[in-house]
Amino acid sequence: SGLGLSEMEGGSLMPPLRLFNRGDQALSIKIHQMGFKDATEYIDPFITVNVVNKQGNLLEANQDTPVTNRRKPNYVLFGNTVHIQTPVNTLSSDSCIVLEFKHYKPKKKKISTRAWCFFTVEELMRAQAETQEMALEVYAKPTDLKCKKVALLSVKNLFLHLELVIRRE
C-alpha cells in the first residue's frame, strides 16, 4: 500500500458525540460502499467527511476514514462509522454533509480527490427516522463545498451507500 498503512490504521475518526442538552441529536454515518466502474484501480482509498454551512465553510474538523483495500466488482468497501461532532439539531437545514473519495496517486506522489457526494441536514431530518439507508449520487471532482456545482461522475447506477443513525438525548 502506497502510504505503508495497514487497513484500519490511520484515519482521523472521532468517538461518538456526547450529548448534554435535552433534545440534542447525534448523527452517526456508517459508510458501506462506493460504486465506481474502475473500483479495483484505486490505491489506499479513503473518505473525508466534511460538515459545511451554505457558504461552504467547515463547521467542525473534517474526519478521514482509514484506508481500505476491500473491493468487490464496481465497489470499494468501507464499513467505517463517522460520528458527526455537532448535534444535528443545531445545524441549519441548508448545512450539508460532504463526503469526498480520495486515493493515492503514485506518479504524482500525492493524495487526490476522485469524486464526492453530499446530503443536506434538511434531507436527513425529513425522514424522521432513527435509522435510514441512503444511496447518494456520485459527482465528479472538483468538490464544491457549497454543493451547487454538481456533475455526475458516471451514467451508470453507481452510488455511495450509507446508513444514517440519529441518537437523541
Side-chain angles (χ1 to χ4, degrees):
S1 94
L3 301 175
L5 292 175
S6 70
E7 203 160 328
M8 298 315 292
E9 282 182 44
S12 59
L13 298 181
M14 299 290 291
L17 176 63
R18 288 185 59 195
L19 297 174
F20 296 104
N21 299 318
R22 193 181 186 96
D24 274 357
Q25 300 173 7
L27 171 63
S28 297
I29 303 168
K30 180 154 190 174
I31 303 172
H32 292 302
Q33 59 187 11
M34 191 162 182
F36 294 99
K37 57 182 190 255
D38 53 353
T40 57
E41 305 298 309
Y42 300 109
I43 298 172
D44 291 345
F46 65 96
I47 289 182
T48 298
V49 179
N50 308 282
V51 181
V52 297
N53 63 13
K54 188 172 75 176
Q55 291 76 33
N57 300 316
L58 282 175
L59 298 175
E60 64 180 49
N62 56 23
Q63 299 183 59
D64 294 334
T65 67
V67 300
T68 181
N69 295 306
R70 297 183 305 136
R71 310 278 196 285
K72 68 180 188 186
N74 292 343
Y75 281 95
V76 176
L77 307 177
F78 288 94
N80 306 105
T81 300
V82 179
H83 302 287
I84 300 304
Q85 299 297 300
T86 306
V88 285
N89 53 292
T90 66
L91 295 171
S92 64
S93 62
D94 54 8
S95 296
C96 292
I97 312 294
V98 177
L99 302 101
E100 298 176 281
F101 179 89
K102 299 179 178 181
H103 63 111
Y104 183 71
K105 284 189 160 175
K107 283 192 178 98
K108 295 185 176 178
K109 291 190 169 64
K110 71 171 196 148
I111 291 171
S112 174
T113 299
R114 174 72 178 111
W116 64 289
C117 308
F118 77 94
F119 62 91
T120 65
V121 169
E122 181 184 10
E123 288 174 285
L124 170 70
M125 300 314 252
R126 199 181 305 143
Q128 295 280 315
E130 278 185 28
T131 303
Q132 59 180 303
E133 300 282 333
M134 204 176 252
L136 300 179
E137 291 182 323
V138 178
Y139 302 117
K141 63 183 181 184
T143 305
D144 175 22
L145 292 177
K146 293 179 183 169
C147 303
K148 299 272 185 263
K149 298 185 189 107
V150 297
L152 285 177
L153 180 67
S154 171
V155 293
K156 295 185 181 340
N157 278 333
L158 297 170
F159 302 96
L160 173 60
H161 296 271
L162 308 172
E163 181 182 342
L164 307 175
V165 179
I166 292 183
R167 183 170 46 84
R168 291 177 167 82
E169 177 50 52

